[in-house]
Structure formats: C-alpha cells, structure tokens
Amino acid sequence: MKILAKKKLWKYLFWLGPFLIAVGLTVGLVSEQWGLIPLVFLTTGIVISGLGIIWQSYQSNWWNRRSTQAGTNALVATLAVLAILGLINFLGTRYHLRADLTEAQLFTLAPQSRELVRVLPQPVKVWVFDVNQNPQDRELLENYQRQSSKFKYEYINPEARPGLAQKFGVKDYGEVYLESGDKRQLVQTVNQNERLSEIRLTSRLQQLTNSTTAKVYLLQGHGERQLSPGKDAISQAVQGLGDKNFTTSPLNLGETSKVPQDAAVVIVAGPKRGLFEGEVKALQEYLNRGGNLLLMIDPNTDPKLNSLLQEWGVRLDNRLAVDVSGESVVGLGPAAPLVTEYGQHPITKDFDNSNSFYPIARPLEITSVPGVQATPLLRTKPYPSSWAESDLQSEKLEFNADKDLKGPLTLGVALTRKPTPKSTSTPQPAPTPSPLPSPTTQSKTSPTPSPSPKTPQALPLPSPTTQSKTSPTPPASPAPAPPTPSSQTAAESRLVVLGNSNFATDGLFQQQLNGDVFLNSVTWLSQQDQQPLSIRPKEPKNRRIILTTTQSNLLILLSLLVLPLIGFAIAVIIWWKRR
C-alpha cells in the first residue's frame, strides 16, 4: 500500500510541472514582462517535469526497451534536421548572398543608393498607400531595407486607415510617401503601367536627408544651351540637379557684372559667342575667391576664355575629336567619340569601363601650373581608333600625319587650386612650365599645319599631366603664367573643363553615363563631401521584340505547321526502319 501511495504521489507531482510551466507562460504573456516571478514558475515546472520523466522511465524500465531506443534515434535525427534547417535559415536571414544576372542589374541597387542608405543620419520610412502589394515594388523596398536598419517601409490600405491617409494628404491609390522626422515628401504614384522607380526614390531620399541646398548658376547671354525644354536644351540636366537638391538659376554677367556670393557652382554650357572681357574677369574673380566653375566648350567656337584657362594650364584644341571604334560597335558616327577609359577621380571613380559618348567634341591640352592639380577625366582610345581631325570641312574623315594628332585624346579634365597667401610683390615674368613625367606627351597645335617628321602621341591619363610644345603646328597660345597677386585665392577653387556640351542635352543626358558625368562634376565642384558621387540608378531597358506582319505570319506557320510536320515525318521514318 505504501508503494502504491508513493507512486501516486510522484504521479501528482509530475502533473504539477506542466501546471507551473503554464502559469509562468501565462504571467509572462499577460504582463508582457518576463521578470523574476514568471521565470521562477517556468524553471520550477521544467525541473519537476524532467524529474517526473526520469522517475517514470526508471520505474517502467522504459529506456531499455527496443522501441524506446528506436524512437529516441528517430527523435534525435528529427531534431538534428530541424536544427540544421534552422541554422541555414538563420544564416540566410542574417547574411544575404544574391546573384543578379540581368544585363541592367535590375534587382541590384546602384552604388549611390546603397551608399546613401548606409549613411542615413536618422530613421526614414516609406509609406505606400495601396490595396495591392506589387512584388516588384516590394522587392525594391526590401533591397533598400537590407542596407540599413534605419530604413523601413509599410503598405497601408487607405480605406482601412483613413486617418493616416488624411494626415499625408493622399488623393489616389498608389501614392508613395517618404517620411523622416517631421518631413514628408511625395515620391510618385505607382500603378499597373508605372512601377516604383529607384531613381525617384533615391533622389527624394537625398533631398529629404540633406538639409543643405547649393545654388547653381547657369550662364546665359552668349548662345548657351537653353534651360527650358526645347531643341538642344539641357532641361533634363537641370531637372537632375533639382533631384540632387541643387537650386538652379540663370545668370547674365552682362547685367550683374559679378557672380553672386551664394553661387556654389557656375556652369557655362556650350556658348556660341565670346564673353565680354568684364564677364571673363568676373569669372576669374569668382574662382580667386574660392569659386567652382564648369566649362563645357564645343568645337568651332571661341568663348574668349583663353586668359582664364591659361591660369589653370588648359588649352582648347581647335580640332575635332574623331573616334571610329564606336561606329562599328554601337552605331555611333566617327564624330561622336565613345569613352570607356576614365581618370582616377571622385567624379569617375565608379565608372569602370562603362560607356559615355560626346557628339562633336574637341580635345584639351594640359600643362603643369604651380599650385594647380590636374586630373584628366575622359580619354579616347589610342590611334588608329581615334585622332584629332584638323579638316573640319571634309565629309570623309581621314588621318593626316602632317596636320592631325594621334589618340588617345583628353576630352575632360578636373582641376583644383589650393588657397595661396596674399602677397604685394610685383609679378614676375612667366617662366616656361616644365613638363611632368609622363609616358607620352601631347603637342600643342593650331588649325594651320606645318611640316614635321614626327607627330607626338596624346596625353596619358595619369594625373597630373603635361604636354610639350613639339607639335608640327604653328606656335600656340602663350605659356600660362603662375598666379599673380590678382589671381591669388582665399579658398580652394575647382574647375572642370569638358570639350563638349552635346552629351548633356535632352535625349542624350539619360544615355549610358552621360548624365553621371554631368551630375557628378557639379556635385564635386560644389564641394559637398556628404553627397555621394557614384552612378545613378538605371531604368530597365526595353527588350520587347516587335515583329512585322510578315514575321508574325511566318512564326505562326513555323510553330503550327512546319515544326509538327517535321516531328511527324521523323516519327514515320523511325517507325518504317523498325518495321
């Protein structure tokens, strides 16, 4: 009787364990605080349950049974498989390893987007007010969220939460808003025909998180590219500056005679007529006080900026850059150089070997100037793929060793001039600049040819770069003089010179890396180090196959008649041979 009573007591104690576990879980879930009391209940219940299981197995000799051993092995194997699967899922959640095999990298964020999200100064949330959750949009938002814990997103049904929709001012389904702190901004409205754009989301994110705005002035009055939409306009470039939080305004130095104090960057985009002497001096004074200037000068034009460029060691070559490599590869004409080689500079640091092209461009020549650091940005392919053509009237472009210059050619350069202390000393005569070491040198040339037994090679890419005066052409402009008291700077100034402005016009701006060259140049010139310099997000390419009526009929005939007949004929032949 005592043994039976003892067994019943252990049986009751065994059921006390699950009861205490249930009490501990209930207390913790209801109070939402896993303090001392629920932990005591849980620990006591687990200990009692474990002791009860051990005692019960000892009394019934449960562990020595063959069925118990087989069941235990199966249980251990099952737990091991579950543990392995759980570990794989944990590692897959924590460490993302993905391969994007699409040509345009549709499922991979651009470097600019990744860098911008990783350095978010404060939490940002995207609100999508829509009933349906598009998988493509959700995947894009997931890519952003993987970059930083400060980026969140949420889909909201406007009918289920009308108060929140009214708070954001939602007027239609599909509106996407970006919120950071007390700031809110509409990104776009998505629908079946227009999905969420990485370009717009990254641009709005940059505007929302960047509290500073920079003023960019675009010079007008000399036939420069117009800012509003139109033929050969740069309205898309202006819109791109707005997306990067720049404020743009036209500038006529003939009216103001001085660059405004709030100008972060001044852009001179393709002037067709020369500037007045006072306007050139205004730009020089702007650079001397730490300004930043972007010059885009087309061939066969003379903007009268030679005196300004000489101070920086830059000379505009009057010849035309010719590149025949792009004609057979991507269908570009020989007068539209295709560039795939870029300098080691923040403007082009992520370009690798991607393409950009510059219809109707002129080469640049660079010489060393004390205090100025020059880095070539754009370089054409070596001869015979490219050369500088002096005969601009000929319909057939051919290399002439007496007048033309062999490639590679420099089409763009970035220059920095460090601040220099003011001095009252009298200016000294300008010494001839000594060339820096370089594998090759590029000669100074003018439109008028002169016989010579040898044509020097063009400027190499490494910075700084020099070019010697050993060209077969007549003497060029005088050598640049070192900074005089009138040209001494109070702060670091920057200058970017490009021998082309067509690449930034509407239609061409969004092609390849053309827009990146323009926007990255302005961003670097503005000296805003907090803004990322990288490739902007790209839109997916249209790969639809458009068939003519004849092609469609032929495809139907092949698929419904010819191919089945071929298969039937093969089957008959096999049957006949096996007969």
Side-chain angles (χ1 to χ4, degrees):
M1 297 294 292
K2 290 183 178 180
I3 296 176
L4 293 175
K6 189 175 182 180
K7 289 182 177 180
K8 289 183 179 180
L9 178 62
W10 277 106
K11 185 178 181 180
Y12 293 144
L13 288 175
F14 171 74
W15 285 108
L16 181 62
F19 173 75
L20 294 177
I21 293 176
V23 172
L25 291 174
T26 303
V27 173
L29 293 174
V30 171
S31 63
E32 296 183 355
Q33 295 181 356
W34 298 91
L36 180 61
I37 295 177
L39 290 178
V40 169
F41 278 111
L42 288 172
T43 304
T44 305
I46 292 172
V47 171
I48 292 175
S49 299
L51 292 175
I53 293 173
I54 294 173
W55 179 83
Q56 186 70 24
S57 62
Y58 175 76
Q59 291 293 327
S60 60
N61 201 21
W62 183 69
W63 287 105
N64 295 328
R65 297 177 185 176
R66 183 173 297 178
S67 61
T68 302
Q69 294 176 358
T72 303
N73 291 335
L75 179 62
V76 171
T78 303
L79 293 177
V81 171
L82 293 176
I84 293 172
L85 292 177
L87 181 60
I88 292 175
N89 278 276
F90 170 77
L91 295 176
T93 303
R94 184 156 187 168
Y95 303 100
H96 302 282
L97 181 61
R98 310 177 68 201
D100 190 352
L101 302 180
T102 58
E103 178 186 3
Q105 297 293 291
L106 300 180
F107 304 102
T108 303
L109 293 181
Q112 185 189 42
S113 301
R114 296 198 300 267
E115 183 179 353
L116 187 62
V117 177
R118 287 172 183 170
V119 297
L120 285 175
Q122 57 186 353
V124 172
K125 188 170 184 178
V126 175
W127 300 85
V128 184
F129 292 90
D130 203 352
V131 178
N132 302 317
Q133 300 184 17
N134 183 271
Q136 181 179 341
D137 297 346
R138 191 179 185 91
E139 177 67 21
L140 177 61
L141 294 172
E142 287 285 350
N143 286 341
Y144 277 93
Q145 188 169 268
R146 292 188 187 101
Q147 308 302 320
S148 173
S149 59
K150 294 182 179 180
F151 186 95
K152 303 293 182 182
Y153 75 92
E154 185 176 351
Y155 277 85
I156 300 296
N157 186 348
E159 295 180 355
R161 301 180 64 179
L164 185 61
Q166 185 178 5
K167 176 182 177 181
F168 278 85
V170 177
K171 299 179 181 178
D172 196 4
Y173 287 101
E175 292 187 1
V176 181
Y177 285 86
L178 196 61
E179 182 181 33
S180 177
D182 57 350
K183 299 179 181 178
R184 300 185 187 93
Q185 191 173 33
L186 176 65
V187 178
Q188 69 177 108
T189 301
V190 296
N191 50 52
Q192 293 182 352
N193 299 322
E194 183 178 1
R195 302 313 327 157
L196 185 59
S197 169
E198 182 186 352
I199 290 180
R200 296 185 182 181
L201 184 54
T202 296
S203 299
R204 297 298 182 269
L205 185 63
Q206 189 172 27
Q207 291 180 4
L208 198 65
T209 56
N210 185 20
S211 58
T212 61
T213 59
K215 193 65 175 290
V216 176
Y217 286 93
L218 295 102
L219 191 65
Q220 298 288 285
H222 317 89
E224 291 87 354
R225 305 285 180 180
Q226 68 179 41
L227 311 184
S228 57
K231 183 179 180 181
D232 297 330
I234 56 172
S235 62
Q236 292 179 346
V238 173
Q239 178 62 39
L241 291 175
D243 291 340
K244 291 181 71 68
N245 218 27
F246 289 103
T247 304
T248 57
S249 296
L251 173 64
N252 193 327
L253 289 177
E255 298 175 353
T256 62
S257 72
K258 186 177 182 181
V259 177
Q261 292 291 336
D262 62 346
V265 182
V266 174
I267 300 176
V268 182
K272 294 182 176 61
R273 297 180 295 273
L275 279 67
F276 292 114
E277 183 178 353
E279 295 176 308
V280 177
K281 289 184 178 180
L283 293 177
Q284 289 176 317
E285 293 175 358
Y286 170 67
L287 289 173
N288 293 338
R289 67 173 190 255
N292 309 283
L293 183 62
L294 172 60
L295 298 178
M296 299 187 294
I297 312 300
D298 295 315
N300 203 24
T301 61
D302 183 12
K304 305 298 183 182
L305 292 171
N306 292 335
S307 59
L308 183 150
L309 293 174
Q310 284 178 8
E311 293 184 2
W312 293 77
V314 179
R315 178 182 176 276
L316 300 174
D317 196 316
N318 291 324
R319 289 173 287 197
L320 178 69
V322 174
D323 182 6
V324 296
S325 63
E327 187 174 10
S328 59
V329 178
V330 292
L332 297 175
L338 180 68
V339 173
T340 58
E341 298 183 23
Y342 305 93
Q344 297 297 322
H345 193 272
I347 295 177
T348 55
K349 66 176 182 179
D350 292 322
F351 285 7
D352 297 327
N353 293 323
S354 300
N355 298 324
S356 61
F357 58 96
Y358 306 86
I360 316 299
R362 69 194 307 168
L364 306 176
E365 297 180 7
I366 309 166
T367 55
S368 176
V369 172
V372 176
Q373 180 180 359
T375 304
L377 298 177
L378 313 171
R379 187 176 70 168
T380 64
K381 296 176 177 59
Y383 178 82
S385 295
S386 71
W387 68 87
E389 176 66 42
S390 58
D391 188 1
L392 305 183
Q393 305 299 326
S394 175
E395 297 182 359
K396 187 176 182 181
L397 301 176
E398 294 180 345
F399 178 75
N400 189 322
D402 296 334
K403 299 182 294 183
D404 301 336
L405 179 66
K406 293 182 178 180
L409 308 172
T410 299
L411 303 183
V413 61
L415 307 104
T416 303
R417 187 167 65 188
K418 300 294 183 181
T420 56
K422 293 184 178 180
S423 173
T424 56
S425 60
T426 58
Q428 299 296 325
T432 303
S434 58
L436 295 176
S438 177
T440 56
T441 56
Q442 183 174 2
S443 60
K444 288 194 173 184
T445 55
S446 63
T448 308
S450 172
S452 174
K454 184 179 180 181
T455 301
Q457 295 295 321
L459 174 70
L461 193 58
S463 161
T465 314
T466 60
Q467 295 155 336
S468 61
K469 300 182 189 177
T470 58
S471 173
T473 54
S477 302
T484 60
S486 62
S487 64
Q488 290 175 343
T489 59
E492 178 181 295
S493 53
R494 296 178 177 180
L495 173 66
V496 172
V497 184
L498 304 175
N500 177 262
S501 67
N502 285 314
F503 79 99
T505 56
D506 295 352
L508 299 181
F509 177 80
Q510 295 179 339
Q511 299 295 323
Q512 302 298 326
L513 297 182
N514 287 14
D516 302 314
V517 173
F518 177 84
L519 293 178
N520 285 4
S521 297
V522 176
T523 303
W524 178 76
L525 286 170
S526 66
Q527 303 190 30
Q528 297 188 67
D529 298 333
Q530 71 275 14
Q531 290 206 33
L533 286 168
S534 182
I535 299 177
R536 296 177 299 118
K538 297 293 185 283
E539 295 287 9
K541 296 181 180 179
N542 185 1
R543 295 298 184 189
R544 293 186 180 94
I545 298 177
I546 302 176
L547 301 177
T548 62
T549 304
T550 303
Q551 292 172 337
S552 301
N553 295 334
L554 181 60
L555 182 61
I556 294 174
L557 183 65
L558 289 174
S559 59
L560 298 182
L561 183 61
V562 177
L563 292 179
L565 288 176
I566 292 175
F568 181 73
I570 294 174
V572 171
I573 293 173
I574 294 175
W575 171 80
W576 183 263
K577 287 185 176 181
R578 291 181 177 180
R579 242 179 112 248

